[in-house]
Short mmCIF file of all heavy atoms in Angstrom, two decimals:
data_model
loop_
_atom_site.label_atom_id
_atom_site.label_comp_id
_atom_site.label_asym_id
_atom_site.label_seq_id
_atom_site.Cartn_x
_atom_site.Cartn_y
_atom_site.Cartn_z
N ILE A 1527 92.92 -35.78 11.31
CA ILE A 1527 94.10 -36.36 10.69
C ILE A 1527 94.55 -35.50 9.52
O ILE A 1527 93.73 -35.12 8.66
CB ILE A 1527 93.83 -37.80 10.20
CG1 ILE A 1527 93.39 -38.69 11.37
CG2 ILE A 1527 95.05 -38.38 9.50
CD1 ILE A 1527 93.13 -40.11 11.00
N ASN A 1528 95.80 -35.20 9.49
CA ASN A 1528 96.39 -34.47 8.37
C ASN A 1528 96.32 -35.33 7.12
O ASN A 1528 96.91 -36.41 7.06
CB ASN A 1528 97.85 -34.14 8.71
CG ASN A 1528 98.51 -33.32 7.63
OD1 ASN A 1528 97.99 -33.19 6.53
ND2 ASN A 1528 99.66 -32.76 7.97
N PRO A 1529 95.62 -34.87 6.06
CA PRO A 1529 95.47 -35.72 4.87
C PRO A 1529 96.79 -36.08 4.21
O PRO A 1529 96.91 -37.13 3.58
CB PRO A 1529 94.62 -34.84 3.93
CG PRO A 1529 93.91 -33.91 4.82
CD PRO A 1529 94.87 -33.62 5.95
N GLU A 1530 97.77 -35.19 4.36
CA GLU A 1530 99.05 -35.46 3.70
C GLU A 1530 99.78 -36.66 4.28
O GLU A 1530 100.63 -37.26 3.62
CB GLU A 1530 99.94 -34.22 3.79
CG GLU A 1530 99.41 -33.03 2.99
CD GLU A 1530 100.20 -31.76 3.23
OE1 GLU A 1530 101.28 -31.88 3.88
OE2 GLU A 1530 99.77 -30.71 2.81
N VAL A 1531 99.51 -36.95 5.51
CA VAL A 1531 100.18 -38.09 6.11
C VAL A 1531 99.15 -39.11 6.60
O VAL A 1531 99.41 -39.90 7.46
CB VAL A 1531 101.06 -37.64 7.30
CG1 VAL A 1531 102.26 -36.88 6.80
CG2 VAL A 1531 100.26 -36.82 8.29
N ALA A 1532 97.99 -39.04 6.00
CA ALA A 1532 96.92 -39.94 6.41
C ALA A 1532 97.27 -41.37 6.01
O ALA A 1532 98.01 -41.60 5.06
CB ALA A 1532 95.61 -39.53 5.77
N PRO A 1533 96.73 -42.31 6.72
CA PRO A 1533 96.93 -43.72 6.33
C PRO A 1533 96.39 -43.95 4.92
O PRO A 1533 95.50 -43.24 4.45
CB PRO A 1533 96.11 -44.48 7.36
CG PRO A 1533 95.95 -43.54 8.50
CD PRO A 1533 95.95 -42.17 7.93
N ASP A 1534 96.94 -44.96 4.29
CA ASP A 1534 96.57 -45.24 2.90
C ASP A 1534 95.08 -45.47 2.74
O ASP A 1534 94.45 -44.98 1.80
CB ASP A 1534 97.32 -46.49 2.41
CG ASP A 1534 98.75 -46.13 2.08
OD1 ASP A 1534 99.04 -44.94 1.87
OD2 ASP A 1534 99.58 -47.04 2.04
N TYR A 1535 94.50 -46.20 3.64
CA TYR A 1535 93.09 -46.55 3.44
C TYR A 1535 92.21 -45.31 3.53
O TYR A 1535 91.13 -45.27 2.97
CB TYR A 1535 92.65 -47.61 4.44
CG TYR A 1535 92.84 -47.25 5.88
CD1 TYR A 1535 92.00 -46.35 6.52
CD2 TYR A 1535 93.86 -47.84 6.63
CE1 TYR A 1535 92.18 -46.04 7.84
CE2 TYR A 1535 94.04 -47.54 7.96
CZ TYR A 1535 93.19 -46.62 8.55
OH TYR A 1535 93.36 -46.33 9.86
N LEU A 1536 92.70 -44.30 4.24
CA LEU A 1536 91.94 -43.06 4.30
C LEU A 1536 92.05 -42.30 2.98
O LEU A 1536 91.06 -41.80 2.46
CB LEU A 1536 92.43 -42.20 5.45
CG LEU A 1536 91.71 -42.32 6.76
CD1 LEU A 1536 92.25 -41.30 7.74
CD2 LEU A 1536 90.22 -42.11 6.58
N ALA A 1537 93.28 -42.23 2.46
CA ALA A 1537 93.50 -41.47 1.23
C ALA A 1537 92.74 -42.11 0.07
O ALA A 1537 92.28 -41.43 -0.83
CB ALA A 1537 94.99 -41.39 0.93
N GLN A 1538 92.66 -43.43 0.08
CA GLN A 1538 92.05 -44.10 -1.06
C GLN A 1538 90.53 -44.03 -1.02
O GLN A 1538 89.90 -43.47 -1.88
CB GLN A 1538 92.51 -45.57 -1.08
CG GLN A 1538 93.97 -45.69 -1.50
CD GLN A 1538 94.47 -47.08 -1.25
OE1 GLN A 1538 93.72 -47.96 -0.84
NE2 GLN A 1538 95.75 -47.28 -1.49
N ASP A 1539 89.97 -44.60 -0.02
CA ASP A 1539 88.51 -44.59 0.04
C ASP A 1539 88.12 -44.68 1.50
O ASP A 1539 87.98 -45.76 2.06
CB ASP A 1539 87.93 -45.76 -0.73
CG ASP A 1539 86.41 -45.67 -0.82
OD1 ASP A 1539 85.85 -44.75 -0.20
OD2 ASP A 1539 85.81 -46.54 -1.46
N TYR A 1540 87.94 -43.52 2.07
CA TYR A 1540 87.75 -43.49 3.51
C TYR A 1540 86.33 -43.82 3.90
O TYR A 1540 85.99 -43.79 5.07
CB TYR A 1540 88.18 -42.15 4.10
CG TYR A 1540 87.54 -40.96 3.49
CD1 TYR A 1540 86.23 -40.62 3.81
CD2 TYR A 1540 88.24 -40.15 2.60
CE1 TYR A 1540 85.64 -39.51 3.27
CE2 TYR A 1540 87.64 -39.04 2.05
CZ TYR A 1540 86.34 -38.71 2.37
OH TYR A 1540 85.75 -37.64 1.84
N THR A 1541 85.49 -44.08 2.94
CA THR A 1541 84.13 -44.45 3.32
C THR A 1541 84.02 -45.94 3.65
O THR A 1541 83.03 -46.38 4.21
CB THR A 1541 83.13 -44.13 2.21
OG1 THR A 1541 83.49 -44.91 1.05
CG2 THR A 1541 83.18 -42.67 1.84
N LYS A 1542 85.05 -46.68 3.22
CA LYS A 1542 84.93 -48.13 3.38
C LYS A 1542 85.51 -48.65 4.69
O LYS A 1542 85.35 -49.81 5.01
CB LYS A 1542 85.64 -48.84 2.22
CG LYS A 1542 84.88 -48.75 0.91
CD LYS A 1542 85.57 -49.55 -0.16
CE LYS A 1542 84.82 -49.48 -1.47
NZ LYS A 1542 85.57 -50.09 -2.56
N ILE A 1543 86.25 -47.78 5.37
CA ILE A 1543 86.90 -48.30 6.57
C ILE A 1543 85.87 -48.60 7.65
O ILE A 1543 84.82 -47.99 7.72
CB ILE A 1543 87.92 -47.29 7.12
CG1 ILE A 1543 87.20 -46.02 7.58
CG2 ILE A 1543 88.96 -46.99 6.10
CD1 ILE A 1543 88.06 -45.17 8.47
N THR A 1544 86.22 -49.55 8.46
CA THR A 1544 85.37 -49.86 9.61
C THR A 1544 85.89 -49.09 10.82
O THR A 1544 87.04 -48.68 10.85
CB THR A 1544 85.41 -51.36 9.92
OG1 THR A 1544 86.73 -51.66 10.39
CG2 THR A 1544 85.14 -52.17 8.67
N PRO A 1545 85.03 -48.89 11.76
CA PRO A 1545 85.48 -48.17 12.96
C PRO A 1545 86.70 -48.81 13.62
O PRO A 1545 87.58 -48.12 14.09
CB PRO A 1545 84.25 -48.24 13.86
CG PRO A 1545 83.11 -48.32 12.92
CD PRO A 1545 83.60 -49.15 11.77
N SER A 1546 86.73 -50.13 13.62
CA SER A 1546 87.87 -50.76 14.28
C SER A 1546 89.15 -50.54 13.49
O SER A 1546 90.21 -50.34 14.07
CB SER A 1546 87.60 -52.23 14.50
OG SER A 1546 87.44 -52.87 13.27
N ASP A 1547 89.04 -50.56 12.15
CA ASP A 1547 90.19 -50.20 11.34
C ASP A 1547 90.67 -48.81 11.72
O ASP A 1547 91.85 -48.55 11.89
CB ASP A 1547 89.84 -50.17 9.85
CG ASP A 1547 89.71 -51.56 9.29
OD1 ASP A 1547 90.26 -52.49 9.87
OD2 ASP A 1547 89.02 -51.70 8.27
#
Side-chain angles (χ1 to χ4, degrees):
Chain A
I1527 301 181
N1528 183 346
E1530 293 173 9
V1531 289
D1534 283 340
Y1535 57 75
L1536 266 185
Q1538 288 169 3
D1539 187 356
Y1540 55 77
T1541 62
K1542 287 184 179 172
I1543 64 164
T1544 68
S1546 62
D1547 285 338

